[in-house]
Amino acid sequence: MSAAILLLALYLLIFGFSAQDGESSGSFSQMISEKCVELLNSLSGGNWTEGFMREMAEYFEHPLRKLAHFSEYACMGILLYILWSQWIRKGRKLYLLIVLWVFCSAGLDELHQLFVPGRWCSFWDVLLDTCGGAFGMLLCIAAGKLTARRRRTPQQDRQGQQGEED
């Protein structure tokens, strides 16, 4: 149930960001980029000039926006996996459903941006978002396999190895 609530909150967050007009969205991204550069400056000793920091913030703004896209949808992939793996057996059907769902969600989000002043629709963002969702799902699959491997007893491991040798 908590995964469903978090997923709903994530959809509201994504929709809220997409509903920002171009100027508001750009200002928000610029502010985040500047804060990241300030943090890097303080971690490196705080010797950077204002001009250098401004250039760094401008340079990193676009990659940070794309990383945010990827991260939002990676979270979506994780939440969908947690939620749907309770009802759908783990395997290709579940994985394909998650990727298609993320793709459609990203596409609808980009389509929504067509109606927001100063924003546009980008198929590349849909692909990036879909990759983020698939990455989140793959993290869940990998975590599940690692957890299953750790739960096995040494005797089960030996039996599995013997079965592979036969």
Side-chain angles (χ1 to χ4, degrees):
M1 186 63 172
S2 58
I5 292 169
L6 289 172
L7 185 61
L8 177 63
L10 180 62
Y11 270 104
L12 292 173
L13 178 76
I14 291 170
F15 183 80
F17 282 141
S18 293
Q20 292 178 332
D21 63 33
E23 187 175 324
S24 298
S25 177
S27 296
F28 184 69
S29 294
Q30 183 179 3
M31 181 197 66
I32 297 294
S33 183
E34 288 169 356
K35 295 294 180 193
C36 289
V37 169
E38 288 173 15
L39 176 64
L40 287 173
N41 181 36
S42 65
L43 291 173
S44 70
N47 299 325
W48 296 352
T49 65
E50 288 294 320
F52 179 73
M53 289 174 55
R54 193 172 27 259
E55 286 178 26
M56 290 285 287
E58 287 176 20
Y59 180 78
F60 284 113
E61 183 180 349
H62 184 73
L64 283 173
R65 283 180 80 104
K66 298 308 171 189
L67 181 62
H69 267 265
F70 188 88
S71 301
E72 289 169 342
Y73 284 86
C75 290
M76 184 183 292
I78 290 169
L79 292 170
L80 288 169
Y81 183 88
I82 291 168
L83 187 63
W84 288 349
S85 64
Q86 298 171 40
W87 295 289
I88 302 171
R89 201 176 95 217
K90 293 174 185 158
R92 289 183 183 160
K93 181 179 177 182
L94 173 64
Y95 308 151
L96 182 60
L97 180 63
I98 290 171
V99 171
L100 285 174
W101 186 274
V102 170
F103 179 80
C104 291
S105 296
L108 289 172
D109 181 52
E110 288 296 316
L111 185 63
H112 162 246
Q113 289 182 36
L114 280 176
F115 303 100
V116 178
R119 302 293 294 269
W120 59 87
C121 181
S122 167
F123 184 70
W124 294 112
D125 280 351
V126 173
L127 292 179
L128 178 68
D129 297 342
T130 303
C131 288
F135 178 77
M137 177 189 67
L138 290 172
L139 285 177
C140 290
I141 294 167
K145 289 187 183 223
L146 285 173
T147 303
R149 183 177 290 165
R150 287 193 174 157
R151 285 186 183 156
R152 288 193 303 215
T153 65
Q155 182 182 359
Q156 288 172 324
D157 279 341
R158 281 192 299 275
Q159 289 172 349
Q161 289 172 355
Q162 288 173 351
E164 290 172 7
E165 292 173 2
D166 292 338

